[in-house]
Amino acid sequence: MKTGLTLLVLPVLASLLLAAAPADELRLEPLREAIISDARTADPASIAFDRTTTAVRRGPGIKEKTVTVERWDGKRWSLLSVNGKTPSANHLKTFRKATAANPVPGYYRMASLLAAASNVTVDSDGRKTLTIPVLPAGTVRTDTGDISSHLSGEAVIASNDGKPYVARLKVRARENFKLNLLIKVTNFEQISDYRLGPDGRPRLASQSADSKGSMFGFVGGQTDEVVYAYR
């Protein structure tokens, strides 16, 4: 009788442990807090990089390509070139306005971004992902304003010596929305990839973005490819 009971109880306990393990591994709070805590230590003043952006703007009969090289030295921005040439006064004016309105890009921004994460799942490749239903204000800005409330995000998690970090951030439009009175955005997607630096800490390596919209019935859009070279 005692042996039979033991044989019965062990399989039941084993099945309960197996059932509990996935849920335990997918707890949101410890994962989110570990990444937020690490991101808070990533001071943008401690890094320097050149950022090269290749932007292609499309519209009816229009295909315009612009290559911009900018530099962040840990204290201030500078515009190095536009299409391989010295920036004009108009280029500098636009550049100063944009850099004043937008925070310095970097892994430290995960601290505020992931505070809005509400769920953790596992994707088709077996990677943990954190879901952000609505991006916090100020996350994504355009030259006409903040569009964060129209966007959602998904952070793909990797691990370095057992320490979790965001390897990829995917941002996309939750809905069609108006950028201003004239422009309606029908698609927006942005992917940011993070790689481990020589010090073993994650840092922003590249970004790509694609947007589509319409104005006065005409359809257009823009793609951006951004590469970061650390100095």
Side-chain angles (χ1 to χ4, degrees):
M1 293 291 292
K2 185 176 181 180
T3 302
L5 180 60
T6 301
L7 292 174
L8 177 62
V9 170
L10 286 177
V12 171
L13 286 175
S15 64
L16 287 174
L17 288 171
L18 287 172
D24 209 34
E25 291 174 359
L26 294 180
R27 286 183 299 161
L28 171 66
E29 202 59 30
L31 178 61
R32 179 174 63 181
E33 289 309 308
I35 296 172
I36 289 175
S37 178
D38 187 42
R40 283 176 178 156
T41 67
D43 185 356
S46 66
I47 58 174
F49 55 79
D50 289 352
R51 177 173 67 181
T52 301
T53 303
T54 302
V56 178
R57 182 171 295 180
R58 307 174 305 276
I62 300 172
K63 187 175 182 181
E64 180 182 274
K65 179 180 177 180
T66 305
V67 180
T68 305
V69 183
E70 304 153 308
R71 175 169 292 170
W72 168 255
D73 66 5
K75 294 181 179 180
R76 60 184 64 84
W77 282 102
S78 56
L79 180 60
L80 302 184
S81 67
V82 178
N83 291 330
K85 300 178 180 179
T86 301
S88 67
N90 283 337
H91 289 145
L92 290 169
K93 181 179 179 181
T94 301
F95 166 75
R96 293 189 187 108
K97 181 180 178 181
T99 52
N102 289 285
V104 177
Y107 192 75
Y108 76 100
R109 298 195 66 206
M110 289 297 164
S112 59
L113 183 61
L114 291 191
S118 64
N119 191 32
V120 55
T121 58
V122 175
D123 68 12
S124 58
D125 294 319
R127 302 171 301 182
K128 292 179 183 178
T129 62
L130 289 171
T131 303
I132 307 163
V134 182
L135 299 193
T139 302
V140 178
R141 294 180 180 272
T142 70
D143 54 2
T144 60
D146 187 353
I147 64 170
S148 306
S149 64
H150 300 291
L151 309 177
S152 63
E154 180 183 85
V156 180
I157 310 303
S159 178
N160 180 35
D161 290 333
K163 189 176 182 179
Y165 70 93
V166 176
R168 169 169 284 190
L169 177 67
K170 303 176 183 179
V171 170
R172 59 177 59 90
R174 302 188 299 116
E175 60 202 357
N176 294 342
F177 61 93
K178 286 191 174 182
L179 191 61
N180 52 41
L181 292 175
L182 301 177
I183 301 175
K184 181 179 181 181
V185 177
T186 55
N187 181 74
F188 180 88
E189 293 183 333
Q190 183 186 69
I191 295 176
S192 301
D193 284 317
Y194 298 82
R195 300 285 184 268
L196 298 178
D199 58 357
R201 296 184 59 80
R203 59 191 189 184
L204 185 57
S206 63
Q207 293 175 299
S208 62
D210 181 64
S211 60
K212 296 181 179 67
S214 62
M215 182 172 67
F216 299 128
F218 295 103
V219 177
Q222 181 168 316
T223 58
D224 295 273
E225 297 292 336
V226 187
V227 177
Y228 295 81
Y230 289 81
R231 309 172 61 244

